Amino acid sequence: MTNGRTDDRKAQRHSRRGEGRIVVLLDGSPMSYAALRAAANIAAQTGAEVLGVFVEEMNLLRSAGFSFSREVGSASGISRTLDTARVERRLQRLADHARQALAKAMEGRGGHHALSITRGRVIEEVLALAGPEDLLVLGRVGWSSAPGARLGSTARGLVQRSPGRVLLWCEQNVPARDRIVVFLNDHPEANERALTAAAEASRRYRQAVTALLCPGSSVSQEQLSDFSRDLEVMGGGIRLRVLPACDPATIAQTVRQEHASHLVISRGCVLFQKPGADQLLVVLDLPVTVTP
């Protein structure tokens, strides 16, 4: 086990070696700790290493250097000077809490874990650590998100730019959800990656899979049969469903009809090429895996 800042050489080597790690962003928000619990559960089942990442936001520290900068308490509404020393102490407390939370989440689960503490811009720092083979686990919103936000700006940016899979995590309060839903498109390689992720989720949660297709999709019946056979082999049954239309609202409605517990969708699918398509991630209150 290694913990500490990224200027520690041992922590640097640990955070960059190997493949197939679980990288989880910790920002002190309740949602990020929910994401950590999910990451720890996946690691316990897969044996993957877990790398926690805490970023001291450079823009916040720079802002604290200006005499006119103010902060407003989210609960109290009280305005006060944004003091550099106070911000530094707060970041140190959050980093210490992240270290303790990571150790507690991994306690008794075995496997390696480490905490990387960096200073800079969150998205760039996370992308510097997460590789194509890693699973990046994020809470859907963090402390910096606007009140009532369903998807934070950091999560949006990492979904768009991450080289590997991204799991957007949220806690579910509805127990009657029992299917993994995967959205397929006309790109065989992207479909294969999405189906692999869906099959892994199917095994992990012991749930069947529904595959959604756009109307007029060029996916052949032979390919559909292959998908069905592959998923049966990889651990679960599959139901194929052709959508009446290929837009975020229709997909969201269908996902709800399927009582989905989890959505898998490829970053390269046609849906993400449409303006405002990421609204699908906003309206769905369930974990979403976005594959390359």
Side-chain angles (χ1 to χ4, degrees):
M1 181 190 308
T2 39
N3 291 307
R5 306 181 64 89
T6 51
D7 55 6
D8 182 293
R9 293 182 181 179
K10 188 175 182 181
Q12 276 190 330
R13 287 196 299 271
H14 185 93
S15 67
R16 294 176 183 173
R17 73 177 183 220
E19 294 183 342
R21 303 166 305 170
I22 299 172
V23 180
V24 56
L25 176 60
L26 302 173
D27 63 5
S29 67
M31 192 72 81
S32 75
Y33 291 126
L36 172 60
R37 292 190 293 272
N41 288 334
I42 296 172
Q45 294 176 347
T46 63
E49 296 183 12
V50 175
L51 175 65
V53 180
F54 180 85
V55 180
E56 297 173 345
E57 176 58 64
M58 184 61 72
N59 288 338
L60 177 61
L61 291 164
R62 286 174 177 167
S63 297
F66 297 113
S67 59
F68 54 80
S69 295
R70 310 285 292 178
E71 63 176 346
V72 179
S74 59
S76 67
I78 297 174
S79 174
R80 60 186 178 185
T81 301
L82 189 60
D83 176 74
T84 301
R86 185 185 297 122
V87 171
E88 291 274 10
R89 290 194 296 271
R90 182 192 306 162
L91 290 173
Q92 182 61 56
R93 288 196 300 271
L94 288 172
D96 289 343
H97 192 269
R99 183 179 293 108
Q100 295 165 10
L102 177 60
K104 182 178 180 180
M106 296 299 295
E107 186 176 5
R109 297 178 183 272
H112 297 285
H113 64 276
L115 178 67
S116 173
I117 304 176
T118 69
R119 177 167 292 190
R121 296 180 178 178
V122 177
I123 292 177
E124 282 70 20
E125 293 300 318
V126 173
L127 292 175
L129 290 168
E133 301 301 322
D134 295 331
L135 171 64
L136 176 58
V137 183
L138 310 169
R140 293 170 67 100
V141 295
W143 281 125
S144 61
S145 300
R150 299 285 292 276
L151 187 65
S153 58
T154 296
R156 289 177 188 266
L158 288 170
V159 163
Q160 294 168 356
R161 297 175 57 187
S162 176
R165 294 185 195 176
V166 178
L167 171 56
L168 290 173
W169 189 257
C170 66
E171 299 283 23
Q172 297 183 79
N173 297 318
V174 182
R177 295 181 175 180
D178 58 2
R179 295 191 75 86
I180 310 299
V181 173
V182 55
F183 183 84
L184 303 180
N185 59 84
D186 292 342
H187 302 286
E189 292 183 0
N191 284 342
E192 183 177 353
R193 290 189 290 267
L195 283 164
T196 298
E200 291 175 3
S202 175
R203 287 197 301 270
R204 185 178 307 130
Y205 302 115
R206 300 178 184 274
Q207 294 178 355
V209 175
T210 295
L212 302 183
L213 297 171
C214 281
S217 172
S218 62
V219 178
S220 68
Q221 187 60 49
E222 181 181 357
Q223 288 174 310
L224 294 181
S225 297
D226 289 342
F227 296 156
S228 300
R229 186 165 52 252
D230 289 345
L231 278 174
E232 292 286 353
V233 169
M234 288 189 286
I238 183 170
R239 178 162 66 209
L240 301 173
R241 184 167 176 178
V242 179
L243 297 164
C246 188
D247 61 82
T250 299
I251 294 172
Q253 180 183 24
T254 306
V255 168
R256 294 189 185 102
Q257 290 172 351
E258 290 292 315
H259 301 291
S261 65
H262 199 110
L263 173 66
V264 180
I265 188 167
S266 168
R267 188 182 299 115
C269 79
V270 65
L271 181 66
F272 276 117
Q273 312 308 316
K274 297 181 179 181
D278 62 352
Q279 288 301 308
L280 175 66
L281 305 182
V282 176
V283 300
L284 289 173
D285 187 23
L286 78 170
V288 178
T289 295
V290 181
T291 61

